Each structure stands twice: as C-alpha cells, then as structure tokens.
C-alpha cells in the first residue's frame, strides 16, 4: 500500500481505507453501494450535479450519503467531464447509475476513464443492464423484481403479490451485487494492473438471489405459486400471526426439535402430529392462529424468551433499535441526531464506524482538491495534466 493509503487507513479505519471512489450522483442502489464502500473505510467523493439529484428529503437526513464527501460538477459544462476525469486519474473505483450510453455522451464513459486510468474499476448500476430489449426503458425496483419472478413469490395466494419495499431489488439484487463485483474487480486490478467494467443489473442480481428456489422448483420441492411452500407463508410453522393487541409474532420453527419446543410453549401439543401431514396443515394453522390471539405480543415474547422455538416479535422500524439484543450489539447507532443502522459486517482488525453524517452537496470541494491533488474547479482546465 502507498504511503497515502497507509495514512488514510490510520485516519479513517476500515478494511477499504486508502481506496478512492468517485460516485456520480444518482438515487437508490448506486448511492447505497457507495455508502457501503464508504462505511468500509473507502474515501468516497460524490460528484453532485448543480441543483442536486438525491432523495426528496432534506439532504441532512439522507443516510446513504454518510461517510462521503461531495463536490459539485456540471457534467454538461465545457469543463465538466475534464473535472471528473481529473478525479478518475487518482481513483480506484467509479460508480455510475445512468441509463446505458449516457455516461459516454457526457464524456465519462469507460473508454474515457480507462484512457486516464487503466486500473480503474468502473461500476455500472442499472435495473435492466447495459444491453437487452429493455435496457433503455425506465424502471423501478418493483418492475425489475416482477420480471424475474421474485415479486410473484411473495404474498398470500388469494391476494396481490406483496411489495417488499425496495429492499429485494434495489439493495439486495442491485447494490450488494455491485459491491461484490467492485471488490472482485478491485482485487483483480491490484493483481494485474488491469481495470474493467462491472455491469450490475438488478434483474440479474434479483434472479441470482433465487438460486436455491430454482433448484427446489426443478426438484419438485417448490410449487410455482404463492403461499404454497415451506418458506413463502404456505407452511403453518413458518409465518406470522396476529396477537391479541393487533401486533404480530414471527414463527420459523422448521426443524423437528424447534417445532416440538414451539408447540409445547404455545400449548398446542395435541395438534403437533399435523406437522408431517399436509392434509392437516389447515387445521394446524387455525389452531396456531387462535392461540396467538389469546395474548399480547409482549406476553408471547416473554413466553418464548430464552427458547429455541424460533419465534420473535415483529417490531416496527422505530422499535427495533431498542430491542435488547440489537442494543447490546450496537446494531443501530445515533449520529448527528439520527438513529441509523451501524456499518456491517464487522471486522476484528479494521473496525468500521459512522465517521461523518450525510455529505452536503459541494461542501467538500476544497478538502477533496487538497487531498486528491486536483484543481478546485475555479482554475482553467489543462486537459491531460
């Protein structure tokens, strides 16, 4: 590692300290991927456009921009592309989430960037991918997971599919796969000196997430419909149940030993044999439903406390940080008056932390210019320097 990289590691910590990332501002999975890299210690410089392009909330609450720094560049201005390419010359990674061809038209596509920095990992985040009949079509998480069969798996059989926020498509199938690809390509670049393009499409990632399900489908162990399988709510001992106070408990007592403890604590040992008889699953579900409605969520939580019945209360977003287990682990942290998830995963030798709050657009121009040894943007550009 270079001396500058060593100094960055000492300053920021985290396993990616010393890695420099340029993020071309967007919304959704691109910023989240860049946040994850920043959480891991990378020096992420977000290139914001004049007027902003983030979430429709006050930028001080956009947690996906934490641990980053921001500069403002108008890529449509005469010197816009050159200013970004100056950063690219000193970067390890670039992340962009434009429609295919836009970065090229702006002068910051892969060829432009690799001409300045052959080692650069160029990360592209889209819903449909860089090619294919739908590549130029607009879309959002819900459409991507709909097309992959993922959305169709979720929900009750007699109701429309349940929308899982934008977690499955944007963040699981998109951001996380982009980060995996970037880290793999970064490893390759350090071994060989050759950068490359990482094409992360949400349709690809969301499809990949269902690999196990496709195997079960091929083996005849999964029915291609909602609410009819072991892990999709069709099983009476893997699902959610309403309690007396209108709250819910989650049950995941799949294995025999966990199931035995579950029915014993629930007080339904007499219907326990129904587990192995699919024709009695309806009877079992009705019994479990009626039993859970006899007590409140807190009462059931207390009853299952310390057991291996695989039962947990369904908490809200505001309730979750106060749960004793999550509080003990520090799964959530408070920073700048905002309660937020802590960086994950955890590292024994290079611990991570929330170092700074959401980057304000353009607030770090002078610092980035100094640390990356690039012009602030006020000087006349000298191409290729």
């Amino acid at each position: 590692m270079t001396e500058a990289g060593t100094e960055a590691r000492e300053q920021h910590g985290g396993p990616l300290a010393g890695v420099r990332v340029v993020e071309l501002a967007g919304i959704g999975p691109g910023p989240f991927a860049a946040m994850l890299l920043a959480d891991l210690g990378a020096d992420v410089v977000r290139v914001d456009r004049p007027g902003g392009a983030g979430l429709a909330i006050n930028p001080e609450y956009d947690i996906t921009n934490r641990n980053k720094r921001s500069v403002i560049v108008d890529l449509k201005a005469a010197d816009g592309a050159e200013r970004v390419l100056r950063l690219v010359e000193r970067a390890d990674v670039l992340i962009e989430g434009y429609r295919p061809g836009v970065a090229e038209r702006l002068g910051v596509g892969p060829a432009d960037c690799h001409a300045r920095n052959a080692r650069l990992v160029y990360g592209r985040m889209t819903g449909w991918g860089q090619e294919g009949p739908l590549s130029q079509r607009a879309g959002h998480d819900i459409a991507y997971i709909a097309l992959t069969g993922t959305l169709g798996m979720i929900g009750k059989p007699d109701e429309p599919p349940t929308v899982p926020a934008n977690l499955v498509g944007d963040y699981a199938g998109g951001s996380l796969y982009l980060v995996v690809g970037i880290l793999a390509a970064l490893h390759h670049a350090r071994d060989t000196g050759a950068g490359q393009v990482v094409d992360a499409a949400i349709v690809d990632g969301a499809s990949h997430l269902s690999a196990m399900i496709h195997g079960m489908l091929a083996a005849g162990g999964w029915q291609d419909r909602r609410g009819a399988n072991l892990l999709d709510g069709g099983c009476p001992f893997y699902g959610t149940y309403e309690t007396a106070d209108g709250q819910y408990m989650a049950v995941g007592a799949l294995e025999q030993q966990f199931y035995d403890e579950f029915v014993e604590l629930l007080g339904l040992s007499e219907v326990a044999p129904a587990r192995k008889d699919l024709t009695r699953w309806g009877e079992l579900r009705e019994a479990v439903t009626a039993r859970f409605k006899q007590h409140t969520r807190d009462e059931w939580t207390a009853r299952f406390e310390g057991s291996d019945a695989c039962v947990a209360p369904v908490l809200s977003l505001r309730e979750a940080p106060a749960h004793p287990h999550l509080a003990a682990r520090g799964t959530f942290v408070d920073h700048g008056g905002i309660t937020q998830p802590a960086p994950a995963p955890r590292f024994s030798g290079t611990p991570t932390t929330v170092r700074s709050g959401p980057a304000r657009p353009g607030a770090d121009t002078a610092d980035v210019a100094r640390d990356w040894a690039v012009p602030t943007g006020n000087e006349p550009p000298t191409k290729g320097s």
Side-chain angles (χ1 to χ4, degrees):
M1 176 173 290
T2 65
E3 182 179 344
T6 302
E7 291 176 356
R9 182 177 298 281
E10 292 173 352
Q11 180 181 359
H12 298 302
L16 293 186
V19 173
R20 286 177 168 175
V21 179
V22 174
E23 175 199 352
L24 301 184
I27 60 173
F32 186 87
M35 181 205 76
L36 179 51
L37 296 174
D39 282 355
L40 297 179
D43 182 5
V44 177
V45 172
R46 178 178 168 94
V47 179
D48 281 297
R49 66 190 69 173
L55 298 174
I57 61 173
N58 188 320
E60 68 181 271
Y61 295 101
D62 188 353
I63 295 171
T64 61
N65 284 329
R66 72 185 184 190
N67 288 338
K68 303 178 184 179
R69 299 191 285 180
S70 169
V71 300
I72 291 179
V73 176
D74 184 357
L75 275 167
K76 296 182 179 179
D79 67 338
E82 176 63 22
R83 290 180 62 192
V84 170
L85 292 173
R86 293 279 188 93
L87 292 170
V88 165
E89 289 175 355
R90 292 157 174 81
D92 300 289
V93 177
L94 180 142
I95 292 175
E96 64 94 359
Y98 302 135
R99 290 197 202 192
V102 172
E104 285 83 350
R105 291 196 296 272
L106 291 171
V108 291
D112 303 296
C113 290
H114 284 140
R116 296 292 189 92
N117 181 354
R119 300 172 63 92
L120 183 77
V121 173
Y122 195 105
R124 316 199 81 166
M125 183 74 261
T126 61
W128 304 115
Q130 294 299 312
E131 66 276 326
L134 299 179
S135 62
Q136 292 295 330
R137 184 180 295 183
H140 278 296
D141 173 290
I142 192 169
Y144 309 139
I145 65 173
L147 204 67
T148 62
T150 312
L151 179 60
M153 294 194 303
I154 306 171
K156 296 181 178 180
D158 54 347
E159 296 178 4
T162 299
V163 180
N166 66 331
L167 302 178
V168 174
D170 280 353
Y171 298 138
S175 304
L176 297 186
Y177 277 86
L178 176 60
V179 169
V180 168
I182 285 173
L183 295 179
L186 188 60
H187 175 75
H188 178 266
R190 289 185 167 178
D191 271 357
T192 67
Q196 60 183 303
V197 176
V198 178
D199 174 9
I202 294 172
V203 290
D204 296 344
S207 297
H208 194 262
L209 287 170
S210 63
M212 182 191 75
I213 304 299
H214 277 279
M216 296 174 69
L217 185 66
W222 189 276
Q223 299 183 60
D224 195 15
R225 56 192 179 91
R226 288 192 302 283
N229 300 285
L230 194 65
L231 303 174
D232 65 355
C235 171
F237 41 93
Y238 195 89
T240 57
Y241 290 92
E242 187 176 2
T243 56
D245 53 348
Q247 300 296 318
Y248 290 86
M249 297 294 290
V251 176
L254 290 176
E255 290 79 6
Q256 184 67 56
Q257 67 271 29
F258 304 146
Y259 176 81
D260 290 342
E261 192 163 353
F262 165 64
V263 293
E264 180 181 353
L265 289 171
L266 200 63
L268 288 177
S269 297
E270 68 277 7
V271 295
R275 175 183 185 274
K276 297 181 179 181
D277 185 352
L278 294 182
T279 65
R280 296 186 61 193
W281 272 16
E283 172 193 348
L284 178 58
R285 184 183 302 280
E286 290 179 2
V288 173
T289 298
R291 190 76 177 99
F292 268 117
K293 285 187 177 180
Q294 293 178 7
H295 299 285
T296 67
R297 185 186 68 179
D298 287 349
E299 289 171 337
W300 284 119
T301 299
R303 177 171 298 194
F304 285 102
E305 183 72 26
S307 77
D308 277 343
C310 300
V311 176
V314 178
L315 303 182
S316 72
L317 289 173
R318 293 190 183 278
E319 290 177 313
H323 187 276
H325 180 78
L326 303 185
R329 285 187 56 80
T331 300
F332 291 86
V333 297
D334 290 308
H335 189 280
I338 303 175
T339 299
Q340 56 196 280
R346 305 181 185 196
F347 300 85
S348 62
T350 53
T352 58
T353 184
V354 178
R355 304 183 304 275
S356 61
R360 306 297 180 88
D364 307 293
T365 300
D367 288 343
V368 171
R370 180 195 66 229
D371 297 343
W372 286 43
V374 296
T376 62
N378 298 320
E379 307 87 344
T382 304
K383 191 167 186 178
S385 64

